[in-house]
Amino acid sequence: MSNAETTRSARKAPKTWSQLSAAGVRRKPSEYEVVTHNLIYHMDKSPTPFELAASAPLNAWYLRYREGSTFRVDDWNGFRDPHRLTYHSYVSQQNQREIHLDAIVDRFEAGGDRPPLSADWVAVLERVYLTSRYSSHVLQMAAMYLAQLSPSSYVANCAEFQAGDEMRRIQRSAYRAKSLSLQFGEQLADTQATRRIWEDDEAWQPLRKVLEELLIAYDLGEAFAALNLVVKPLHDAFFINVLGVVAQAEDDEELALMLDDFRLDSDRNNDWSKALVAYAVSQRPENRDVLAGWVEKWRPQTEAAIEAASAMLADRWPADRGDMGELVAETYEALLSDCGLLPTQAV
Amino acid sequence: MPQLRRSDWYDIARDMNWNLRYVSHEQAFPPEIVGPMGDTEPATWWKWDEPYKLSYREYVYNQVDKDAGVAAVGAAIARSNLFDQLDEGWKGAIKAHFGAVTVSEGQSTLAESRMGRFGLAAAWRNMALYGALDEMRHVQIQLKVAHSLLEKDPQFDWAHKAYHTGNWAIIAAMSHNDELFLGSDVISTAIQLTFTFETGFTNLQFIGMAADAMELGDVEFGALISSIQTDEARHAQQGEPTLKLLLETGQKDLAQRLIDVSFWRAWHLFATLTGPSLDYWTPLEHRAMSFKEFMEEWIIRQFMDQLEDLGLEKPWYWDQFLDELDWYHHSEHAGIWYFRNTVWWNPDAGVSDSEREWLEAKYPGWTEKFGTLWDTIGESVRADKVDATFGKTLPILCNTCHLPVFKIPGTTSDCEPRQSVHEERTYTFCSEPCQWIFDQSPQRYVGTKTLIDRLTMGDIQPPTIEGILEYMGITPDIAGDDAAKYRWATERQPQLAAGAAA
Ligand SMILES: [Fe+2]
Ligand SMILES: [Fe+2]
């Protein structure tokens, strides 16, 4: 090697973060990787995650529920969001989608082609759709919990965006509540009245119980599995898919179109859940049983809760669409199957 | 456009609180992670009211727009040689910034998310969700800019690497951030992060540095951090409603203590980072204001006014604070320069004749306190003994702020070492407030170690210079040196300059 060459290579500018080269990423890293890679430096940090006494509450919490979880791999920074979302791509994409929702609202507010909604359908909307603000808010809280406990920024960001998606649909539901209240009565926009349905309506109680319990699923693996592999998929199968079919049958096209849009968020969140399961199992096969165990714990009560909630739509379900419960079950089983978590897929 | 205005429906989307029935409040909101609610009923907190309202729809719209603005500036800069023309001292200031700040924004993401889960009102949780997304933005846009500068200068690697090391400056930053937010319950976080830190101190770094950046033509950095500051100004508003509720629920003492602890911690960290950046590393002709003037404007006037409007008082150590305002960051600056081969940027000594004049004018008495020190260093440089100007003996680090313990004659630091014993270990402190912070809550800090403790207690192996540098993550390609290649010394008395210049 000539001197000139030595000098040149000694001066070679680094192509990317030393942490990213050290992780063995050989190709030119994507912008997604450049801005997402390995930011949760305190995972497995010795002797404690935070520069406080080992017994300080937050150190104890993270050591117990994050580092101490049975859901673990050696390197969480190998996980990638299949959608490679960055902050910028998320807000850009959701901005476009919000413009789309505004257009839907505009179309129906302009009137004209809008068939009048019946008062008894509005009562169903109040009981199911408007009240789902509360259930979605719990999902938002649980996603925030998962975000702040995540072992890697690649995981945390997915959970942050998921929480944003929940807020998004809650606000659209609040808008619809106000809009309906102008025509069908003030109680539709009265949060006390809606809260009473959430707190007292028998059909809601099993689901409310599951959701309140979801809030205290603190272990990392349980928090992820209970939220993303059980409660949210089943919740959305009902409050998006089933409700969408019913809205269509009731000629509430505005709601049907909105739900179609929210399904895109829900599907995207399923995508990262599936990818995380696949990654965790590929890194450490025992993770399959860890996750399957949590799914087994949460699934029966959540399915029963959705069945109880289904009573609210039972007499609205179009007979030609087969069985309502089937739609939920099929949608959910497809997710579990993609995750390799059906009991029949046990190895 | 949809016909209803945000104000028509907003309350419906924020009044989302309910009474837990199937789990207890303590289970879902554990006291150790929620913080000191006092004897209040959970529903008391439902009236938490954010002063700034925003819908998701507006959020994504605004943020796309802001990002476009920053990206446009970045693209224009990439086509120019602007970066190459920047002053080396200033480059040091922005590298220090990227290393200390970028990944700490990710710590804020998590702290905001924790408030997004455990905040005691839905309105608070929603605001915190925007805050979490904002902070993710701050990590990402700063990483992106620093990454684009890597090819020009490997020291920018520290925008990403810093928090993965045991560097002394980063330990100080971590300790501060963990205390104020990352390792803190959500009520304390709302006060310490969003009120003290974001409503108060980040203005120094983000407005102070942006002002200087615009002055000297670093448009990219100026646009970047100004854009960040617009997010901060919004989500910082979680502090005030939380503070109001603490006062309303009879917890004024607690609120005051949180302010007193976090104000002092933030003061030391910002004095170390922003102080030298504004007063030494920014070229003299481009300094918008001195650090002290920024402190007077943003902290002593604006922040303190807000504090007093809310019914709180100045911290009990106000006199010590005012005393330190005249000397503390000058000592930090000298310490950083002295140990410049332990940092990831090239610190500018910033003590040419004209700069000394400026320093004396802004800080009467500077020459007497610090002039001689720099005279001696300058003489060593001119005598071709640059080696003698590197720190060789280990400093004593404070067990609270992890920054050096100074003893500057005629100041509050001019005393016997301040020490406390907890569980048979002696802890040393740089100042009375740092000692007070540790002593009023020892169970929160016992067992923590400064970098020097780690060395003497055997955590750093081998306990040699090489071992410490490795622990600190310092590699030869990024180890700092004088930004001006010592010209401030060699050109000061040209007749004596002999070979010391690079
Ligand atoms: Fe920030
Ligand atoms: Fe200190």
Side-chain angles (χ1 to χ4, degrees), chain B residues 105 108 134-135 138 198 206 228 232 235:
Chain B
E105 309 264 17
S108 305
D134 286 342
E135 297 296 357
H138 303 169
E198 292 179 334
F206 284 82
I228 288 174
E232 297 293 329
H235 69 237

Side-chain angles (χ1 to χ4, degrees), chain A residues 130 133-134 137 140 166-178 189-191, chain B residues 6-17 50 54-56 121-127 130:
Chain A
L130 302 188
R133 289 202 306 274
Y134 286 88
H137 184 68
Q140 178 184 319
E166 308 295 4
M167 178 195 265
R168 174 175 190 248
R169 63 172 160 174
I170 290 166
Q171 294 193 354
R172 290 291 173 172
S173 168
Y175 186 102
R176 189 84 197 275
K178 183 63 186 184
D190 174 358
T191 52
Chain B
R6 188 219 307 127
S7 56
D8 293 327
W9 58 265
Y10 188 81
D11 282 345
I12 303 172
R14 67 194 282 282
D15 184 13
M16 303 277 305
N17 304 292
E50 70 277 31
L54 183 74
S55 70
Y56 179 91
W124 180 3
R125 296 190 288 267
N126 289 343
M127 283 299 282
Y130 294 129

Side-chain angles (χ1 to χ4, degrees), chain B residues 268 398 400-401 430-431 434:
Chain B
H268 270 201
C398 172
T400 293
C401 68
C430 69
S431 57
C434 272

Side-chain angles (χ1 to χ4, degrees), chain A residues 297-343:
Chain A
K297 173 182 168 187
W298 283 86
R299 186 177 173 179
Q301 48 172 334
T302 311
E303 284 179 332
I306 292 296
E307 203 183 317
S310 300
M312 297 189 284
L313 290 179
D315 59 344
R316 298 272 160 180
W317 181 256
D320 60 346
R321 291 301 298 263
D323 185 69
M324 186 202 287
E326 277 297 303
L327 177 59
V328 173
E330 274 168 25
T331 313
Y332 181 56
E333 296 245 327
L335 171 72
L336 283 189
S337 167
D338 287 350
C339 291
L341 289 173
L342 286 173

